Amino acid sequence: MRARMPWNVAQRVLKAAQLHRSQGWKRTLARVTAGDEHYDAREEELKDSLTQHLLCGEKIVRFFELTDEEMSSLRESSHTLEVPEGPFQAMFPILLDEADLKTVNPPTPTLVSIMNFEDGSIALVLASRRHLMTRETLQPQDLPEGAASELHEYSELIGIKHQRLEAIDLLWIPPTGNLIELRVDFPIGMYQRQAEAAIERATTAFSQLLGQNYLTTPVNLFPVIERLYKATGDGTMVELAFMVSGSAQKHEKTRRDGQCCRVEAYHVGGVSVLDQPIEPYRTSVMWTVPIAEDVLSMPEVSLMGNSVDTAVQAPFLGEMIARNCANLIDYGHIRDRIISHLHSPLPDEVASVAVHDDHQRSQG
Protein backbone atom coordinates (compact mmCIF):
# COMPACT_ATOMS: atom_id res chain seq x y z
CA MET A 1 0.00 0.00 0.00
CA ARG A 2 2.82 2.37 0.82
CA ALA A 3 3.99 2.65 -2.78
CA ARG A 4 0.65 3.95 -3.99
CA MET A 5 -1.16 5.59 -1.10
CA PRO A 6 -0.13 8.91 0.47
CA TRP A 7 0.21 8.62 4.23
CA ASN A 8 -2.50 11.20 4.96
CA VAL A 9 -4.90 8.93 3.05
CA ALA A 10 -3.52 5.66 4.41
CA GLN A 11 -3.96 6.64 8.04
CA ARG A 12 -7.68 7.22 7.39
CA VAL A 13 -7.96 3.84 5.66
CA LEU A 14 -6.23 2.12 8.57
CA LYS A 15 -8.39 3.97 11.07
CA ALA A 16 -11.51 2.87 9.19
CA ALA A 17 -10.24 -0.72 9.52
CA GLN A 18 -9.72 -0.09 13.25
CA LEU A 19 -6.00 -0.75 13.02
CA HIS A 20 -3.32 0.98 15.05
CA ARG A 21 -1.02 3.39 13.21
CA SER A 22 2.45 4.64 14.06
CA GLN A 23 3.88 7.97 12.94
CA GLY A 24 4.29 7.73 9.16
CA TRP A 25 4.63 4.82 6.75
CA LYS A 26 8.10 3.71 7.91
CA ARG A 27 7.18 3.18 11.55
CA THR A 28 3.82 1.64 10.71
CA LEU A 29 5.39 -0.88 8.33
CA ALA A 30 8.09 -1.67 10.86
CA ARG A 31 5.41 -2.43 13.42
CA VAL A 32 3.52 -4.70 11.02
CA THR A 33 6.71 -6.46 9.89
CA ALA A 34 7.56 -7.20 13.50
CA GLY A 35 4.23 -9.00 13.76
CA ASP A 36 0.73 -7.70 14.37
CA GLU A 37 -2.13 -10.20 14.49
CA HIS A 38 -4.69 -7.42 14.00
CA TYR A 39 -3.23 -6.62 10.58
CA ASP A 40 -3.06 -10.31 9.69
CA ALA A 41 -6.75 -10.69 10.50
CA ARG A 42 -7.67 -7.78 8.22
CA GLU A 43 -5.61 -8.87 5.20
CA GLU A 44 -8.57 -9.26 2.83
CA GLU A 45 -10.11 -5.99 3.99
CA LEU A 46 -6.81 -4.19 3.39
CA LYS A 47 -6.49 -5.75 -0.05
CA ASP A 48 -9.96 -4.46 -0.92
CA SER A 49 -8.97 -1.00 0.34
CA LEU A 50 -5.87 -1.07 -1.85
CA THR A 51 -7.94 -2.13 -4.86
CA GLN A 52 -10.39 0.72 -4.35
CA HIS A 53 -7.58 3.23 -3.99
CA LEU A 54 -5.96 1.98 -7.20
CA LEU A 55 -9.25 2.68 -8.99
CA CYS A 56 -9.59 6.29 -7.87
CA GLY A 57 -6.64 7.56 -5.84
CA GLU A 58 -4.26 10.20 -7.25
CA LYS A 59 -5.73 10.30 -10.75
CA ILE A 60 -6.03 12.70 -13.63
CA VAL A 61 -9.52 12.20 -15.06
CA ARG A 62 -11.22 12.89 -18.36
CA PHE A 63 -14.96 12.56 -18.95
CA PHE A 64 -16.43 11.56 -22.30
CA GLU A 65 -20.10 11.83 -23.23
CA LEU A 66 -21.27 9.08 -25.56
CA THR A 67 -24.49 8.54 -27.47
CA ASP A 68 -26.94 5.84 -26.40
CA GLU A 69 -25.75 3.67 -29.28
CA GLU A 70 -22.10 4.12 -28.31
CA MET A 71 -22.84 3.26 -24.67
CA SER A 72 -24.61 0.07 -25.74
CA SER A 73 -21.74 -0.85 -28.04
CA LEU A 74 -19.15 -0.14 -25.33
CA ARG A 75 -20.90 -2.33 -22.78
CA GLU A 76 -21.22 -5.17 -25.28
CA SER A 77 -17.53 -4.88 -26.22
CA SER A 78 -16.46 -4.86 -22.56
CA HIS A 79 -18.28 -8.16 -21.96
CA THR A 80 -16.29 -9.87 -24.72
CA LEU A 81 -12.88 -8.96 -23.29
CA GLU A 82 -10.64 -11.52 -21.61
CA VAL A 83 -7.77 -10.85 -19.25
CA PRO A 84 -4.53 -12.38 -20.57
CA GLU A 85 -1.97 -14.13 -18.40
CA GLY A 86 1.14 -12.26 -17.32
CA PRO A 87 3.10 -10.90 -14.36
CA PHE A 88 0.83 -7.88 -13.89
CA GLN A 89 -2.30 -10.01 -13.95
CA ALA A 90 -0.89 -12.67 -11.61
CA MET A 91 -0.19 -10.14 -8.84
CA PHE A 92 -3.06 -7.62 -9.14
CA PRO A 93 -4.02 -5.77 -6.95
CA ILE A 94 -0.53 -6.20 -5.48
CA LEU A 95 1.83 -4.17 -7.65
CA LEU A 96 5.20 -5.25 -8.96
CA ASP A 97 8.18 -3.60 -7.30
CA GLU A 98 10.91 -1.75 -9.16
CA ALA A 99 13.21 -4.77 -9.37
CA ASP A 100 10.51 -6.95 -10.96
CA LEU A 101 9.55 -4.21 -13.40
CA LYS A 102 13.03 -4.29 -14.97
CA THR A 103 12.19 -7.62 -16.56
CA VAL A 104 8.58 -6.90 -17.58
CA ASN A 105 8.04 -6.81 -21.31
CA PRO A 106 6.43 -5.05 -23.06
CA PRO A 107 6.01 -1.74 -21.15
CA THR A 108 2.79 -0.94 -23.05
CA PRO A 109 -0.52 -1.04 -21.11
CA THR A 110 -2.10 -4.46 -20.67
CA LEU A 111 -5.53 -5.45 -19.36
CA VAL A 112 -5.22 -6.81 -15.80
CA SER A 113 -8.80 -6.84 -14.54
CA ILE A 114 -12.42 -6.49 -15.62
CA MET A 115 -14.37 -5.47 -12.52
CA ASN A 116 -18.14 -5.72 -12.43
CA PHE A 117 -19.76 -3.97 -9.47
CA GLU A 118 -23.11 -4.68 -7.81
CA ASP A 119 -24.63 -1.42 -9.08
CA GLY A 120 -23.78 -2.33 -12.68
CA SER A 121 -20.62 -0.23 -13.02
CA ILE A 122 -17.72 -1.71 -14.99
CA ALA A 123 -14.03 -0.92 -14.59
CA LEU A 124 -11.60 -1.98 -17.32
CA VAL A 125 -8.20 -1.83 -15.64
CA LEU A 126 -4.84 -1.46 -17.38
CA ALA A 127 -1.38 -1.89 -15.90
CA SER A 128 1.88 -0.72 -17.42
CA ARG A 129 5.48 -0.01 -16.59
CA ARG A 130 6.11 3.69 -16.33
CA HIS A 131 9.32 5.66 -15.90
CA LEU A 132 8.95 8.69 -13.70
CA MET A 133 11.07 11.58 -12.57
CA THR A 134 9.35 13.12 -9.58
CA ARG A 135 10.08 16.09 -7.33
CA GLU A 136 9.35 15.47 -3.67
CA THR A 137 9.52 17.73 -0.64
CA LEU A 138 11.65 15.99 1.96
CA GLN A 139 10.67 15.88 5.63
CA PRO A 140 13.26 15.88 8.46
CA GLN A 141 12.26 12.35 9.53
CA ASP A 142 13.04 11.10 6.01
CA LEU A 143 16.70 12.20 6.20
CA PRO A 144 19.59 10.05 7.50
CA GLU A 145 20.79 10.71 11.02
CA GLY A 146 22.91 13.83 11.19
CA ALA A 147 21.76 15.13 7.79
CA ALA A 148 18.99 17.27 9.28
CA SER A 149 21.45 19.28 11.39
CA GLU A 150 23.78 19.74 8.41
CA LEU A 151 20.96 21.12 6.28
CA HIS A 152 19.23 23.22 8.95
CA GLU A 153 19.82 26.47 7.05
CA TYR A 154 17.48 25.40 4.24
CA SER A 155 13.78 26.11 4.71
CA GLU A 156 12.76 23.51 2.11
CA LEU A 157 14.46 20.47 0.61
CA ILE A 158 13.46 19.03 -2.76
CA GLY A 159 14.50 15.57 -3.89
CA ILE A 160 14.55 14.37 -7.51
CA LYS A 161 13.72 10.69 -7.83
CA HIS A 162 14.03 8.51 -10.94
CA GLN A 163 12.01 5.33 -10.69
CA ARG A 164 10.04 2.63 -12.43
CA LEU A 165 6.56 1.94 -11.16
CA GLU A 166 3.51 -0.04 -12.13
CA ALA A 167 0.85 2.40 -13.26
CA ILE A 168 -2.86 1.61 -13.01
CA ASP A 169 -5.18 3.34 -15.50
CA LEU A 170 -8.80 2.49 -16.13
CA LEU A 171 -11.95 3.11 -18.07
CA TRP A 172 -15.01 3.51 -15.84
CA ILE A 173 -18.39 2.66 -17.37
CA PRO A 174 -21.35 3.71 -15.18
CA PRO A 175 -24.56 1.66 -14.88
CA THR A 176 -26.69 4.56 -16.16
CA GLY A 177 -26.11 7.76 -18.08
CA ASN A 178 -23.71 8.47 -20.91
CA LEU A 179 -20.63 9.85 -19.12
CA ILE A 180 -17.66 7.50 -19.02
CA GLU A 181 -14.34 8.25 -17.34
CA LEU A 182 -10.71 7.69 -18.23
CA ARG A 183 -8.70 7.70 -14.99
CA VAL A 184 -4.92 7.76 -15.32
CA ASP A 185 -2.36 7.49 -12.54
CA PHE A 186 -1.06 10.92 -11.51
CA PRO A 187 1.06 10.52 -8.35
CA ILE A 188 2.22 13.61 -6.50
CA GLY A 189 5.32 15.04 -8.15
CA MET A 190 4.51 13.75 -11.63
CA TYR A 191 4.81 16.32 -14.40
CA GLN A 192 1.77 17.32 -16.47
CA ARG A 193 3.49 16.35 -19.71
CA GLN A 194 4.07 12.83 -18.35
CA ALA A 195 0.37 12.57 -17.52
CA GLU A 196 -0.61 13.72 -21.01
CA ALA A 197 1.63 11.04 -22.55
CA ALA A 198 0.09 8.43 -20.26
CA ILE A 199 -3.42 9.53 -21.28
CA GLU A 200 -2.52 9.05 -24.94
CA ARG A 201 -1.10 5.58 -24.29
CA ALA A 202 -4.17 4.52 -22.33
CA THR A 203 -6.48 5.90 -25.03
CA THR A 204 -4.63 3.90 -27.69
CA ALA A 205 -4.70 0.74 -25.57
CA PHE A 206 -8.45 0.95 -24.97
CA SER A 207 -9.12 1.66 -28.65
CA GLN A 208 -7.23 -1.48 -29.61
CA LEU A 209 -8.93 -3.61 -26.93
CA LEU A 210 -12.45 -2.44 -27.74
CA GLY A 211 -12.06 -2.21 -31.52
CA GLN A 212 -13.25 1.42 -31.51
CA ASN A 213 -12.06 4.72 -30.08
CA TYR A 214 -14.72 5.86 -27.61
CA LEU A 215 -12.38 8.49 -26.12
CA THR A 216 -12.39 11.13 -28.83
CA THR A 217 -13.47 14.48 -27.33
CA PRO A 218 -13.26 15.10 -23.57
CA VAL A 219 -16.04 16.99 -21.84
CA ASN A 220 -15.12 20.64 -21.29
CA LEU A 221 -14.70 21.24 -17.54
CA PHE A 222 -13.63 24.88 -17.76
CA PRO A 223 -17.14 26.28 -17.04
CA VAL A 224 -17.18 24.24 -13.82
CA ILE A 225 -14.46 26.47 -12.37
CA GLU A 226 -16.70 29.53 -12.23
CA ARG A 227 -19.73 27.50 -11.20
CA LEU A 228 -17.80 26.05 -8.27
CA TYR A 229 -16.59 29.52 -7.29
CA LYS A 230 -20.16 30.80 -7.18
CA ALA A 231 -21.44 27.72 -5.33
CA THR A 232 -20.57 28.97 -1.85
CA GLY A 233 -20.86 26.13 0.65
CA ASP A 234 -20.19 23.39 -1.90
CA GLY A 235 -16.89 22.19 -0.47
CA THR A 236 -14.02 24.33 0.77
CA MET A 237 -12.20 26.20 -1.99
CA VAL A 238 -8.55 25.98 -0.92
CA GLU A 239 -7.01 27.45 -4.07
CA LEU A 240 -8.22 30.06 -6.53
CA ALA A 241 -6.48 31.81 -9.40
CA PHE A 242 -8.26 34.48 -11.40
CA MET A 243 -7.91 37.49 -13.66
CA VAL A 244 -9.23 40.92 -12.76
CA SER A 245 -9.89 43.92 -14.97
CA GLY A 246 -6.66 45.42 -16.23
CA SER A 247 -5.14 41.98 -16.87
CA ALA A 248 -3.91 41.54 -13.29
CA GLN A 249 -3.51 37.97 -12.02
CA LYS A 250 -4.28 36.84 -8.48
CA HIS A 251 -3.53 33.47 -6.91
CA GLU A 252 -4.89 32.64 -3.45
CA LYS A 253 -4.30 29.54 -1.31
CA THR A 254 -5.88 28.76 2.06
CA ARG A 255 -4.90 25.12 2.74
CA ARG A 256 -2.94 25.92 5.89
CA ASP A 257 -5.70 27.69 7.76
CA GLY A 258 -8.61 25.71 6.30
CA GLN A 259 -10.54 28.77 5.18
CA CYS A 260 -12.57 28.91 1.99
CA CYS A 261 -11.23 31.28 -0.66
CA ARG A 262 -14.76 32.28 -1.61
CA VAL A 263 -15.50 33.87 1.79
CA GLU A 264 -12.01 34.72 3.08
CA ALA A 265 -12.07 38.35 4.28
CA TYR A 266 -9.19 39.61 2.12
CA HIS A 267 -10.72 38.06 -1.01
CA VAL A 268 -14.24 39.34 -0.30
CA GLY A 269 -12.93 42.82 0.47
CA GLY A 270 -10.85 42.96 -2.70
CA VAL A 271 -13.55 41.68 -5.01
CA SER A 272 -16.18 44.02 -3.57
CA VAL A 273 -14.37 47.13 -4.89
CA LEU A 274 -13.95 45.86 -8.44
CA ASP A 275 -15.97 47.32 -11.30
CA GLN A 276 -16.03 44.00 -13.16
CA PRO A 277 -16.46 40.41 -11.92
CA ILE A 278 -13.34 38.29 -11.61
CA GLU A 279 -12.54 35.55 -14.16
CA PRO A 280 -11.49 32.34 -12.36
CA TYR A 281 -9.28 29.99 -14.36
CA ARG A 282 -7.86 27.63 -11.72
CA THR A 283 -9.24 26.18 -8.50
CA SER A 284 -8.95 23.37 -5.99
CA VAL A 285 -11.90 22.36 -3.82
CA MET A 286 -11.87 20.02 -0.85
CA TRP A 287 -14.88 18.17 0.53
CA THR A 288 -15.38 16.34 3.84
CA VAL A 289 -16.84 12.88 3.30
CA PRO A 290 -17.54 10.19 5.95
CA ILE A 291 -16.06 6.84 4.85
CA ALA A 292 -16.58 4.92 8.10
CA GLU A 293 -17.85 5.51 11.61
CA ASP A 294 -15.91 8.47 13.05
CA VAL A 295 -13.64 8.57 9.98
CA LEU A 296 -13.74 11.58 7.67
CA SER A 297 -11.95 11.72 4.34
CA MET A 298 -10.95 15.00 2.69
CA PRO A 299 -10.85 14.35 -1.08
CA GLU A 300 -9.86 17.20 -3.36
CA VAL A 301 -10.44 18.16 -7.00
CA SER A 302 -8.22 20.55 -8.94
CA LEU A 303 -9.21 22.19 -12.21
CA MET A 304 -6.01 23.65 -13.60
CA GLY A 305 -6.71 26.14 -16.37
CA ASN A 306 -4.35 28.91 -17.49
CA SER A 307 -4.67 32.68 -17.34
CA VAL A 308 -4.64 32.89 -21.15
CA ASP A 309 -7.86 30.85 -21.18
CA THR A 310 -9.80 33.86 -19.93
CA ALA A 311 -8.90 35.78 -23.09
CA VAL A 312 -10.48 33.32 -25.51
CA GLN A 313 -14.15 33.08 -26.37
CA ALA A 314 -14.63 29.40 -25.54
CA PRO A 315 -11.90 28.24 -23.14
CA PHE A 316 -11.40 24.49 -22.86
CA LEU A 317 -10.17 22.27 -20.02
CA GLY A 318 -10.36 18.53 -20.60
CA GLU A 319 -9.36 17.03 -17.26
CA MET A 320 -9.60 17.25 -13.50
CA ILE A 321 -7.10 16.04 -10.89
CA ALA A 322 -8.40 13.93 -8.01
CA ARG A 323 -6.30 13.85 -4.84
CA ASN A 324 -6.61 12.34 -1.36
CA CYS A 325 -9.36 9.86 -2.25
CA ALA A 326 -9.37 6.86 0.06
CA ASN A 327 -11.94 4.73 -1.75
CA LEU A 328 -14.85 4.70 -4.18
CA ILE A 329 -17.12 6.39 -1.63
CA ASP A 330 -15.27 9.70 -1.38
CA TYR A 331 -14.24 9.66 -5.03
CA GLY A 332 -17.86 9.10 -6.04
CA HIS A 333 -18.84 12.12 -3.97
CA ILE A 334 -16.41 14.53 -5.64
CA ARG A 335 -17.12 13.11 -9.10
CA ASP A 336 -20.84 13.65 -8.59
CA ARG A 337 -20.23 17.21 -7.40
CA ILE A 338 -18.25 18.02 -10.55
CA ILE A 339 -20.84 16.39 -12.81
CA SER A 340 -23.61 18.32 -11.08
CA HIS A 341 -21.92 21.57 -12.13
CA LEU A 342 -21.34 20.52 -15.74
CA HIS A 343 -24.71 21.69 -16.97
CA SER A 344 -25.95 23.77 -14.05
CA PRO A 345 -26.48 27.45 -15.00
CA LEU A 346 -24.61 30.24 -13.23
CA PRO A 347 -26.67 32.48 -10.92
CA ASP A 348 -26.57 35.34 -13.44
CA GLU A 349 -27.69 32.92 -16.16
CA VAL A 350 -30.68 31.92 -14.02
CA ALA A 351 -31.54 35.58 -13.49
CA SER A 352 -31.28 36.24 -17.23
CA VAL A 353 -33.66 33.36 -18.00
CA ALA A 354 -36.12 34.60 -15.36
CA VAL A 355 -36.11 38.12 -16.83
CA HIS A 356 -36.64 36.70 -20.30
CA ASP A 357 -39.56 34.56 -19.08
CA ASP A 358 -41.15 37.54 -17.31
CA HIS A 359 -40.81 39.56 -20.51
CA GLN A 360 -42.43 36.81 -22.56
CA ARG A 361 -45.35 36.55 -20.16
CA SER A 362 -45.89 40.34 -20.17
CA GLN A 363 -45.92 40.31 -23.99
CA GLY A 364 -48.41 37.48 -23.97
Side-chain angles (χ1 to χ4, degrees), residues 246-315:
S247 300
Q249 297 183 40
K250 301 294 181 182
H251 195 173
E252 303 172 356
K253 296 182 181 181
T254 60
R255 278 188 180 83
R256 289 185 179 179
D257 56 22
Q259 292 190 65
C260 180
C261 289
R262 305 178 185 103
V263 297
E264 191 269 329
Y266 179 83
H267 175 78
V268 174
V271 171
S272 65
V273 299
L274 296 175
D275 296 330
Q276 299 292 329
I278 66 171
E279 298 177 89
Y281 62 85
R282 175 178 299 187
T283 190
S284 295
V285 180
M286 182 186 301
W287 285 266
T288 301
V289 182
I291 57 172
E293 186 176 356
D294 298 326
V295 182
L296 296 177
S297 179
M298 301 183 71
E300 182 176 321
V301 165
S302 295
L303 298 167
M304 311 296 280
N306 295 300
S307 58
V308 294
D309 294 329
T310 61
V312 301
Q313 187 173 4

Side-chain angles (χ1 to χ4, degrees), residues 57 105 130 305 309:
N105 244 336
R130 195 169 295 168
D309 294 329

Side-chain angles (χ1 to χ4, degrees), residues 201-221:
R201 285 195 294 270
T203 299
T204 299
F206 280 121
S207 298
Q208 293 173 346
L209 282 170
L210 297 166
Q212 180 178 338
N213 185 8
Y214 294 95
L215 310 175
T216 54
T217 305
V219 172
N220 184 13
L221 298 177

Side-chain angles (χ1 to χ4, degrees), residues 63-110:
F63 295 94
F64 298 85
E65 188 164 15
L66 307 186
T67 65
D68 291 340
E69 292 77 13
E70 288 171 329
M71 287 298 298
S72 177
S73 172
L74 174 58
R75 289 192 177 98
E76 289 179 9
S77 296
S78 69
H79 292 315
T80 65
L81 296 177
E82 294 183 0
V83 177
E85 295 182 356
F88 288 133
Q89 292 83 349
M91 293 295 293
F92 185 82
I94 306 303
L95 304 183
L96 300 182
D97 61 27
E98 192 163 8
D100 292 331
L101 287 170
K102 291 180 181 179
T103 61
V104 171
N105 244 336
T108 53
T110 178

Side-chain angles (χ1 to χ4, degrees), residues 61-63 170-172 179-183 331 335:
V61 182
R62 286 185 174 178
F63 295 94
L170 65 132
L171 185 64
W172 183 271
L179 276 182
I180 64 173
E181 299 170 57
L182 176 64
R183 306 177 192 167
Y331 177 81
R335 176 197 60 207

